[in-house]
Amino acid sequence: MADFSDINDTGKIPIGIANMDFAMSLPQNEFPEVLIITGMSGAGRSQAGATLEDLGWYVIDNMPPRLIMAMLKLAMSGGGIKKLACVVDVRSRKFFQELLHVLQDLTDASIPYRIIFLDAADAELVRRYESVRRPHPLQDDGRLLTGIRRERELLADLRTRADEVIDTTHRSVHDLAREIRRLVGTDSEIKLELTVMSFGFKYGLPLDADHVADVRFIPNPYWVSELRHLSGKDEPVRDFVMKVDGAQQFVQRYAELITGMVAGYEHELKPYVTVAIGCTGGKHRSVAISEELARQLRNNGLNVRTIHRDLGRE
């Protein structure tokens, strides 16, 4: 049986004294922002941790509670960690029972923290576990539903102490990520990072491209002897390419198309988008068009970098 009832006779975990020693030794200013992510197994804790990690948090999954104070001390000793998220749950077995006492130690030491508790209906948790074909950590030799109910009993006190309870029963992973972002107040921190990449078709398509455009409709500067040794980053080649009928219109309309899609990408929490512009060798036309496209996208307020994949190849 995994009821954790045999930790000790008093119900008080001895680790508290050691935690207070840690707490009193910590500097009393500039504590990292601390989040405790917990809740029902299968309710989305790992997804919540991944979202926080994408937002710049230092995330530790399946963390034994007694290590929280030690991690705080490490974070404040030059580790540069300003945001610490600890995913704590029953996977840590008997260690998990220490969590309430560790939280009290944090309170006694005036260390601010928040608890986000993830929950879902029993039927949904059963469905999720059956879909991944994994046992519940408290299931032992019993039924899956037995493990879920056992866990719910163990977490009852912690759920009442939570600052936020998120029911993920009818939420997708993207819905949960948006809710986590809202709760930590970082809706505006994560902006789409756009990469404009030039490439040569003769070297193959970029595997990581979200959009591919072919600019081989533009005459090739390679066949102009005074331009052959130059690249699309050089002014003579750039002028040659951009003066071709249709080149400016193509860049302008393509920049408008990509800009119009950004809001949708951000809503769907897609952090990176790669636009690949190809010509034959990836040296002249695609480079010039990529540079001009990136310039116009930056003028539209987007965060853009350029990569010239095949520039320099023979």
Side-chain angles (χ1 to χ4, degrees):
M1 294 291 290
D3 60 2
F4 307 140
S5 60
D6 58 345
I7 295 177
N8 61 25
D9 294 332
T10 65
K12 175 63 178 176
I13 308 300
I15 197 67
I17 297 174
N19 273 345
M20 285 304 298
D21 290 340
F22 269 129
M24 298 309 294
S25 67
L26 292 174
Q28 295 300 304
N29 58 352
E30 298 184 359
F31 285 118
E33 190 174 354
V34 179
L35 271 179
I36 307 295
I37 307 298
T38 189
M40 295 295 294
S41 300
R45 295 183 314 254
S46 296
Q47 178 61 40
T51 299
L52 290 167
E53 198 167 65
D54 291 342
L55 294 170
W57 289 68
Y58 191 96
V59 179
I60 306 176
D61 195 8
N62 195 15
M63 186 177 190
R66 69 170 61 189
L67 297 182
I68 292 176
M69 283 292 190
M71 191 62 211
L72 275 170
K73 188 174 183 180
L74 182 63
M76 300 183 68
S77 64
I81 299 173
K82 301 299 184 183
K83 298 178 178 181
L84 176 64
C86 304
V87 182
V88 184
D89 53 73
V90 297
R91 287 175 297 169
S92 58
R93 313 302 288 182
K94 292 184 178 181
F95 293 119
F96 179 72
Q97 198 74 352
E98 301 169 356
L99 179 57
L100 291 178
H101 300 289
V102 172
L103 295 178
Q104 186 59 50
D105 292 339
L106 290 171
T107 300
D108 293 342
S110 300
I111 300 174
Y113 65 90
R114 286 191 293 164
I115 301 174
I116 296 179
F117 189 101
L118 301 179
D119 204 349
D122 288 358
E124 177 62 18
L125 294 176
V126 169
R127 187 192 67 79
R128 293 175 186 178
Y129 266 100
E130 288 181 343
S131 68
V132 297
R133 299 184 180 181
R134 296 191 63 194
H136 188 280
L138 300 185
Q139 183 176 344
D140 292 338
D141 295 330
R143 298 166 54 211
L144 174 58
L145 195 57
T146 301
I148 292 172
R149 289 170 177 168
R150 191 177 294 161
E151 181 180 29
R152 198 172 292 283
E153 291 175 5
L154 288 170
L155 298 179
D157 289 344
L158 187 58
R159 192 181 194 280
T160 62
R161 295 186 54 165
D163 298 281
E164 300 287 346
V165 176
I166 304 175
D167 188 334
T168 67
T169 302
H170 303 294
R171 281 189 165 98
S172 69
V173 292
H174 300 301
D175 293 333
L176 175 58
R178 279 188 282 270
E179 181 66 6
I180 292 294
R181 290 176 62 179
R182 184 189 69 80
L183 289 177
V184 299
T186 53
D187 283 341
S188 62
E189 286 187 13
I190 299 300
K191 292 296 184 182
L192 181 74
E193 294 188 15
L194 185 62
T195 298
V196 178
M197 175 192 299
S198 68
F199 74 96
F201 278 98
K202 72 178 182 179
Y203 300 114
L205 290 169
L207 295 177
D208 56 346
D210 298 289
H211 300 265
V212 176
D214 184 353
V215 296
R216 288 176 294 185
F217 66 89
I218 297 173
N220 194 347
Y222 178 84
W223 301 112
V224 180
S225 58
E226 58 267 31
L227 301 179
R228 180 175 301 180
H229 67 287
L230 301 176
S231 79
K233 299 183 74 172
D234 295 308
E235 186 174 351
V237 174
R238 185 170 62 249
D239 289 346
F240 176 91
V241 170
M242 297 311 301
K243 287 179 180 178
V244 171
D245 287 344
Q248 281 285 2
Q249 292 90 333
F250 167 80
V251 174
Q252 181 180 349
R253 291 172 183 172
Y254 205 44
E256 291 173 354
L257 173 67
I258 297 300
T259 301
M261 301 172 70
V262 167
Y265 279 135
E266 291 180 338
H267 181 264
E268 292 302 312
L269 306 181
K270 182 174 175 62
Y272 307 103
V273 172
T274 298
V275 177
I277 308 295
C279 63
T280 302
K283 181 178 180 180
H284 296 100
R285 295 167 289 181
S286 62
V287 174
I289 293 293
S290 293
E291 289 289 336
E292 178 60 20
L293 177 62
R295 185 188 69 79
Q296 293 197 24
L297 290 170
R298 291 188 189 102
N299 288 343
N300 291 344
L302 301 182
N303 181 25
V304 186
R305 67 169 181 161
T306 55
I307 295 176
H308 303 299
R309 191 193 72 175
D310 299 325
L311 192 60
R313 289 198 189 211
E314 295 296 331

